[in-house]
Amino acid sequence: MTTMLQSILLWLLYLSSFYAFIPSLISRLFGFRVFRRGKSDTQYALTFDDGPDPFYTPRLLDLLRKYNVKATFFVVGEHAASHPELIRRMHEEGHLIGIHNYIHKTNWLMRPRTVRDQIERTGHIIQEITGEKTCYYRPPWGIMNLFDFFSKKDHEIILWSSMFEDWKCSVGAEQLKERVLKKLKGGEVLLLHDRGTTLGADAHAPEQMLEALETVLQEAERRGLESVRVDTLMNGREITESSSVVSRQEVEPRLKLKLWKRAVVALWLGWEKLFYWVYHLRTTSSEDPMLHFRSRVYHGARVEMDHGYVMQNGDPIIELHFDNQKLFEIGVTSRSTMHLAIRMIRTMEQQLPDLAQLIAADPELRSAKAIYGVSMINRGPEKFGFTVHELAPGPFSIASKLYLKLLLGVIHPAGQKRLKQRTDQLVPKMIVMPVEELLKRYAQQHHHKVASDAAEKARDESLVIDNEILPDRN
């Protein structure tokens, strides 16, 4: 039952990641298909979520009118329907009104059709009150799903560049003021809240927001900064531009990847971090974290290994994983699939002794039957003591093949062209080695000898690389 539950949870994690985690990761890291920061030196955008609120929103509108500034309100549909006079006032006083779903519920927990209904229903309420249709949308908590990406043609998705936990009374007006002033500059999209009735918020938190905001507006006026609507700040800027922490100038010259490929890479690396955290993977070498592993129970058909060893269903094993960041760096600088494979083999040669020493020192790891992994390296592992086996037909085999081909298409300089060549080599297979064999081969090796052997092998393999690549280029 425990094993079945783990499998169910794993598949749920896979599905939820592709539906929700990955789109949110892409939008947060790359600003893909969202707006979250402008380019102005003198204009910034104040945005308010979760309202309108019958007590705090009128006071907020009074404050904005007092300092003659414009803002953007992302309203919850049910609150807008209950207080149409406040929506009408926002519109009449020149503020921009956007959609924040009909109820304040994360898109991760709703089907695409439900999300679409939430957006359309709220948009219809706003249009009925103001006479104008809005195309601006901010998902609750900024959490997106695949539907949000596909709905880009109908709505501009607006996130933020800075948020301040103003929904918590414990922050206090003074600390909130300091946080906002620290981020107050041109181009910023500041997120605040004019209602405190949503899940996780404190009902009276908007009180301290209003207190802090007046000081912020005074300081903005002193600095010559102007609060404008989001659509004004967006003017002249393409939505698909990246506002990643790592600038485009830093990324493109080194990787030379298109935006969609960079998005896939971010997805890939983010998924790896989540997977390692969930399953508590360990690393063979902290200095060069290329090989990761975890203890688990094998579930599958009987596998025969060298020297009479057998791995069968229920045996404890050690599962191997390559570090995706390292693999990506190797991939984008490799000249062919063969070059990529050889460099990975070389890395294995350097790290297997580290793995052997860790296993030898840990009684739990020492009791494992074998070390196991799935790889596209079909030639080479045998020399290190592995046996290579076909994956059993089924969903796992199909998913592994599609996954690894997708990644190869992204990280290899030849991209999709490479996938059409030597397709017989692009088949993921199981590699497995008895733990006893690993210890026999590598536990006593000295690191300086491994490094020396690797250097010698690298010189020999450079000849192989040249021989493989030159005909392939023609």
Side-chain angles (χ1 to χ4, degrees):
M1 180 61 69
T2 301
T3 300
M4 181 179 294
L5 181 60
Q6 288 178 343
S7 298
I8 292 173
L9 290 175
L10 182 60
W11 277 106
L12 287 175
L13 183 61
Y14 288 156
L15 293 174
S16 64
S17 295
F18 280 102
Y19 180 65
F21 172 74
I22 288 170
S24 293
L25 179 69
I26 293 173
S27 64
R28 294 293 179 87
L29 290 180
F30 292 96
F32 183 62
R33 290 198 172 185
V34 303
F35 176 83
R36 58 179 189 174
R37 180 181 282 110
K39 288 189 172 182
S40 174
D41 293 329
T42 59
Q43 295 179 331
Y44 68 100
L46 283 171
T47 67
F48 299 91
D49 286 6
D50 300 354
D53 180 271
F55 182 69
Y56 292 112
T57 302
R59 294 170 58 190
L60 172 60
L61 289 170
D62 290 343
L63 182 62
L64 297 176
R65 184 170 56 187
K66 175 181 178 180
Y67 289 92
N68 193 31
V69 301
K70 304 303 178 187
T72 302
F73 290 83
F74 291 97
V75 300
V76 175
E78 63 176 348
H79 302 326
S82 299
H83 305 285
E85 74 285 356
L86 293 177
I87 301 298
R88 191 174 299 111
R89 180 181 170 186
M90 291 175 189
H91 177 68
E92 291 173 351
E93 294 184 2
H95 303 295
L96 181 65
I97 304 173
I99 298 167
H100 202 46
N101 283 359
Y102 182 77
I103 59 174
H104 199 281
K105 184 177 181 180
T106 173
N107 290 4
W108 283 16
L109 302 179
M110 295 188 289
R111 297 175 300 166
R113 179 68 244 182
T114 305
V115 175
R116 188 180 298 111
D117 290 344
Q118 292 263 327
I119 295 173
E120 291 177 354
R121 188 175 180 183
T122 304
H124 182 67
I125 291 170
I126 295 171
Q127 186 173 8
E128 275 196 333
I129 297 171
T130 65
E132 293 185 6
K133 184 177 181 180
T134 182
C135 66
Y136 300 95
Y137 174 59
R138 173 176 286 168
W141 293 292
I143 296 175
M144 302 174 61
N145 61 36
L146 288 175
F147 167 75
D148 298 323
F149 277 172
F150 293 136
S151 66
K152 168 66 168 58
K153 62 181 180 180
D154 300 318
H155 296 92
E156 302 288 2
I157 300 174
I158 311 298
L159 295 184
W160 57 84
S161 59
S162 300
M163 63 189 303
F164 311 100
E165 294 186 304
D166 64 308
W167 59 87
K168 296 180 180 179
C169 286
S170 59
V171 172
E174 191 63 28
Q175 185 176 5
L176 179 58
K177 178 182 67 177
E178 293 176 2
R179 290 180 180 182
V180 179
L181 289 176
K182 188 178 295 185
K183 294 292 185 178
L184 183 61
K185 57 186 177 181
E188 292 290 312
V189 179
L190 308 180
L191 169 60
L192 296 167
H193 298 78
D194 59 330
R195 191 181 183 103
T197 60
T198 55
L199 181 65
D202 295 328
H204 302 295
E207 187 70 47
Q208 66 188 27
M209 183 275 293
L210 291 171
E211 182 181 342
L213 181 60
E214 180 154 22
T215 303
V216 170
L217 293 177
Q218 293 170 352
E219 178 62 18
E221 194 174 74
R222 188 188 69 79
R223 296 182 189 180
L225 296 174
E226 179 187 11
S227 174
V228 298
R229 298 165 26 141
V230 161
D231 55 349
T232 302
L233 192 63
M234 291 171 63
N235 187 35
R237 179 188 184 277
E238 293 183 5
I239 299 299
T240 55
E241 283 184 357
S242 170
S243 54
S244 172
V245 175
V246 181
S247 69
R248 178 174 299 182
Q249 289 74 18
E250 292 174 325
V251 174
E252 287 186 348
R254 183 173 69 90
L255 304 180
K256 299 181 180 179
L257 296 180
K258 295 179 180 179
L259 177 61
W260 75 268
K261 286 193 174 185
R262 286 162 38 210
V264 172
V265 170
L267 176 159
W268 183 26
L269 299 181
W271 165 253
E272 176 185 63
K273 291 181 180 179
L274 178 64
F275 183 88
Y276 289 177
W277 177 75
V278 170
Y279 290 100
H280 307 290
L281 266 67
R282 298 169 58 183
T283 304
T284 56
S285 172
S286 58
E287 297 179 357
D288 184 21
M290 179 60 177
L291 198 61
H292 305 273
F293 64 94
R294 64 167 176 150
S295 298
R296 54 162 290 195
V297 175
Y298 174 68
H299 299 288
R302 174 188 170 96
V303 176
E304 295 184 357
M305 299 175 282
D306 289 341
H307 310 292
Y309 291 97
V310 174
M311 182 176 70
Q312 52 192 351
N313 192 52
D315 282 342
I317 61 170
I318 298 170
E319 184 179 81
L320 302 179
H321 295 268
F322 278 106
D323 185 280
N324 283 342
Q325 178 69 49
K326 291 284 186 179
L327 183 60
F328 173 66
E329 292 173 357
I330 291 175
V332 297
T333 56
S334 295
R335 293 167 286 176
S336 73
T337 305
M338 176 63 72
H339 191 192
L340 173 63
I342 289 176
R343 294 176 69 184
M344 290 176 67
I345 290 172
R346 187 185 307 161
T347 301
M348 289 287 286
E349 184 179 52
Q350 295 171 342
Q351 299 225 340
L352 283 174
D354 294 332
L355 176 62
Q357 289 180 4
L358 289 172
I359 293 175
D362 188 322
E364 180 182 354
L365 296 176
R366 183 70 176 76
S367 65
K369 180 67 71 70
I371 60 173
Y372 157 94
V374 175
S375 174
M376 275 190 174
I377 305 175
N378 297 336
R379 293 182 294 174
E382 296 90 346
K383 70 182 67 177
F384 300 118
F386 289 96
T387 54
V388 180
H389 299 269
E390 301 287 342
L391 290 176
F396 178 74
S397 176
I398 295 172
S400 297
K401 186 174 182 178
L402 292 174
Y403 170 72
L404 293 175
K405 280 194 173 184
L406 170 65
L407 294 183
L408 183 60
V410 171
I411 68 175
H412 197 281
Q416 295 297 317
K417 182 178 179 181
R418 165 53 60 186
L419 295 179
K420 298 176 182 179
Q421 302 173 0
R422 301 181 183 179
T423 55
D424 59 308
Q425 296 180 10
L426 302 180
V427 179
K429 296 185 179 181
M430 178 194 306
I431 60 172
V432 60
M433 182 197 308
V435 166
E436 293 297 331
E437 181 66 17
L438 174 77
L439 298 178
K440 178 181 176 182
R441 283 174 174 254
Y442 299 104
Q444 302 303 321
Q445 282 194 15
H446 298 290
H447 291 283
H448 72 273
K449 181 178 184 299
V450 174
S452 176
D453 290 345
E456 182 177 355
K457 183 177 179 62
R459 289 193 296 271
D460 294 339
E461 289 174 342
S462 65
L463 299 176
V464 177
I465 293 170
D466 291 338
N467 290 334
E468 283 288 339
I469 293 174
L470 290 176
D472 195 43
R473 287 176 173 170
N474 295 329

